[in-house]
Amino acid sequence: MTPRRVCAAVALMAVVVHLGALANGYALDDIPIIVRNSIIQDPAGFWRAFVLPYWPSFGGNALRPLAVASYWADARIDGAPWLHGINLLWHAGATVAVTVLARRWAGSLDAALAAGLLFAVHPVHVEAIANIVGRAELMATLFACLAVYAALVRQSAGWSAAALVGGLLCKETAAVVPGLVVWAWVIGIRRPSRRTATAFVATWVVVGIGYALMRWAVLHPYGRFISIAPVFQGENAITIRLTAVAALADVLRLLVFPLHLRADYSPMERTAVHSPLDPRFVLGLACLALWAWLVVLAWRRRRPAELLGLGWIAIAFLPVANVLFPVGILVAERTLYLPSVGLVIAAGTALCRLPRRRWGPILGVLVLAGAVRSAVRVPVWRSDERLALSILEDAPDSYMGPVQAADHVERRGELRKALSYLHSAISLFQGDPRPFYAAADLAHSLGQPALADSMFRRAEALCERCTSYYE
C-alpha cells in the first residue's frame, strides 16, 4: 500500500466504526454547552465564544473558544446529526495525523498502518467521539499532533506555534506540546541546533504569555471558582496524590484492555486512598513501575519510536493526572484520547517488529475487537436517558447515576420520581452540594418546605455562597 492509501484506509475505519453516532442526540454536557447555551443561539455567538468561559451557567476556569465556535457554526447548518458527523471527521483527521507521525518515527509503513488502525478503533475514544462536546479532545489532539509534526519534521517554530495556539483554544491539554517536543529532543529525535531550539523556546514563551493573558481577561471574574473532583472534597494534598496514583490502574486498564467502559468514576464507585499500604495504591504504583521499566527497556534497546510513544503517554496524561494539581475529575475516558496517541505509536511499532506472519493476524484480532467494542458502545451516548441508565448499570455505586436520572425525569415533569433518584444519590455520597440543591428545589416545587429547607441547609454546609448551584 502507498502512504496515501494507508491514510485513506485508517480515516475510513475511524468513520465507519463510529457511524452509529449519527443517530445520537444530545447527552450529558451537550445540554448546557450546546442546547442551553445562549452563545450557540446568538447570531453573533462566534465572536462571543472568545470572550466568555466554556461553561455558560457559572463560568468556571475553562476557556475553549475554538471548540464552542465550531458548535456555533455547525448549529447554523443543522442539528445533532450534523454535529456528530463533524466529530467523525475530526476523529478521522486525528487518526491520519497519528498515522503520519508513526510513519515518520518508526520509519515503516506497516507500523504506521498498525498505529492508525489501533487509534481509529480504540474503545476508550468513544466518549470523546460519540458525545458532541468531546470534540474539544479531538480538535486539541489533532492540533497537538500538527504542532509536534511541524516541530520535529519541518522544524518550523512558526507553524508549530500556530498549531499550538489552535490546540490551546480548543482545550487546555494542548499545553503539553512543548513537553512532547523536548522529550523527542532528549531521546535524540531531530535534535535541533541551539539557534533553532532558542527560536522554539521563544515562541512557546510568547504563546504561553498570550494565552495566560487571554485566560485572565476572560476568567478573572471567576477567580474564586475551584474545580475539584468530588472524591477529593475535604481531602489533603497527600490523600489526593495517593488517590491519583491508585487511579493509574484504571488508566492502564482503559488503555490496554478497555472491555468495561463507564461514563462516570465518581464516589462511591471510586473513593479516596488514605494510606500507601492501601492495595489500590500499591496496584497503581505497580502500573507506574511497569511504565518506567518499559521506558528503560526501550532506552537500552535504542528504540526511539517506542520510547517516544511511552513518554508521550505520560506527558499527555500529566495535566489531568491530579498529581501536579487536582482537577475536576478523577478518571474520565475522554481525557485519554491524547495520551493514547503515544500508546498506539509504541504498540504499532513494537508489533511490526514481529515476523509478518505473526503481526498481521494479531493486528487483525486487535482491530476487530476494538471496532466491535466501540460500535457497541456508541449508542450509550444517544440521549441523556440512555446515558443515565448506562451509569446505573455500569457504575452502580456512583452517585452521579441517580443524579443524571433525576435530571432526565425532571425534564419530563416527573418531579416525585426525580426527588426519589436524588435521595438515592445522597444516600450514596454526601460530599457534593449539587444533589442537595436540586432536591431542595424539587421539594419546594412539590410543596414540601420543611424538606426543602433541610436540603438547602445541608447544601450550604458543604458549599458556602455557591450561587452557581442554587438561584
Side-chain angles (χ1 to χ4, degrees):
M1 295 179 71
T2 65
R4 287 187 178 182
R5 288 184 177 180
V6 167
C7 289
V10 298
L12 182 62
M13 179 67 76
V15 171
V16 169
V17 168
H18 301 92
L19 274 177
L22 296 177
N24 287 1
Y26 301 102
L28 201 63
D29 292 345
D30 292 344
I31 307 300
I33 299 299
I34 298 176
V35 178
R36 299 176 182 170
N37 192 346
S38 63
I39 294 176
I40 306 301
Q41 315 304 326
D42 187 348
F46 183 91
W47 303 112
R48 288 183 63 207
F50 289 83
V51 295
L52 291 174
Y54 180 67
W55 290 98
S57 58
F58 56 85
N61 54 12
L63 180 66
R64 301 166 191 174
L66 202 55
V68 176
S70 75
Y71 307 144
W72 176 90
D74 289 343
R76 309 271 77 74
I77 299 173
D78 200 358
W82 176 266
L83 285 148
H84 282 291
I86 298 300
N87 271 27
L88 298 186
L89 295 181
W90 279 106
H91 177 51
T95 302
V96 170
V98 171
T99 303
V100 172
L101 291 178
R103 180 169 180 261
R104 287 287 181 174
W105 293 328
S108 163
L109 200 56
D110 288 342
L113 177 63
L117 289 175
L118 291 173
F119 190 82
V121 305
H122 201 303
V124 82
H125 297 164
V126 171
E127 181 173 323
I129 300 166
N131 187 216
I132 297 172
V133 296
R135 184 185 300 179
E137 306 285 349
L138 313 180
M139 296 174 70
T141 295
L142 176 56
F143 279 117
C145 289
L146 292 176
V148 173
Y149 179 88
L152 299 181
V153 178
R154 299 298 182 184
Q155 292 197 328
S156 171
W159 283 112
S160 182
L164 173 58
V165 169
L168 289 171
L169 294 179
C170 296
K171 192 174 182 182
E172 303 82 357
T173 49
V176 302
V177 165
L180 297 172
V181 174
V182 170
W183 172 247
W185 292 345
V186 168
I187 63 177
I189 295 179
R190 296 301 300 270
R191 191 173 293 166
S193 65
R194 180 174 297 181
R195 181 177 180 179
T196 303
T198 301
F200 274 104
V201 172
T203 60
W204 292 337
V205 170
V206 170
V207 169
I209 293 174
Y211 180 63
L213 290 174
M214 182 180 181
R215 284 183 61 87
W216 179 85
V218 175
L219 301 179
H220 79 273
Y222 312 97
R224 296 181 62 187
F225 180 89
I226 299 176
S227 177
I228 187 170
V231 70
F232 298 143
Q233 292 283 355
E235 303 292 353
N236 59 40
I238 294 176
T239 296
I240 290 174
R241 272 66 187 186
L242 291 175
T243 307
V245 172
L248 293 178
D250 273 319
V251 173
L252 178 63
R253 175 184 61 81
L254 289 168
L255 287 174
V256 178
F257 191 71
L259 180 61
H260 184 65
L261 301 171
R262 61 185 73 179
D264 188 74
Y265 292 79
S266 297
M268 302 295 290
E269 197 65 35
R270 294 293 184 271
T271 55
V273 175
H274 295 94
S275 168
L277 300 180
D278 190 308
R280 295 171 295 170
F281 173 79
V282 174
L283 182 58
L285 196 62
C287 294
L288 183 60
L290 174 62
W291 171 85
W293 176 76
L294 290 173
V295 169
V296 172
L297 188 64
W299 186 285
R300 288 180 176 177
R301 295 186 178 182
R302 298 183 179 180
R303 295 183 174 179
E306 289 96 322
L307 192 56
L308 183 65
L310 290 167
W312 184 302
I313 296 171
I315 294 168
F317 182 65
L318 193 58
V320 294
N322 293 294
V323 174
L324 299 179
F325 45 81
V327 296
I329 47 95
L330 175 61
V331 177
E333 292 166 9
R334 64 184 178 277
T335 62
L336 297 180
Y337 192 84
L338 180 56
S340 70
V341 173
L343 172 75
V344 300
I345 290 175
T349 305
L351 187 62
C352 290
R353 295 185 186 278
L354 300 173
R356 180 177 288 272
R357 67 178 184 276
R358 292 180 59 189
W359 76 260
I362 294 174
L363 177 63
V365 170
L366 291 175
V367 171
L368 179 61
V372 171
R373 185 68 187 94
S374 294
V376 170
R377 182 67 180 173
V378 165
V380 166
W381 293 88
R382 186 146 297 169
S383 65
D384 250 8
E385 181 179 14
R386 288 285 295 273
L387 186 62
L389 292 174
S390 80
I391 297 175
L392 292 172
E393 180 179 351
D394 299 333
D397 293 329
S398 170
Y399 79 102
M400 284 303 297
V403 169
Q404 292 296 326
D407 182 65
H408 174 72
V409 298
E410 181 185 359
R411 278 188 270 125
R412 292 194 320 205
E414 302 177 39
L415 302 189
R416 293 188 183 279
K417 189 173 183 179
L419 185 59
S420 176
Y421 273 124
L422 289 173
H423 279 305
S424 297
I426 291 168
S427 69
L428 288 168
F429 182 64
Q430 296 83 43
D432 188 339
R434 290 172 295 182
F436 291 103
Y437 280 125
D441 186 47
L442 284 172
H444 178 75
S445 299
L446 290 168
Q448 302 179 38
L451 178 60
D453 290 342
S454 173
M455 290 293 174
F456 185 76
R457 284 194 298 270
R458 294 178 68 181
E460 288 293 284
L462 291 169
C463 180
E464 294 184 12
R465 295 185 297 275
C466 284
T467 55
S468 61
Y469 291 142
Y470 191 83
E471 299 175 350

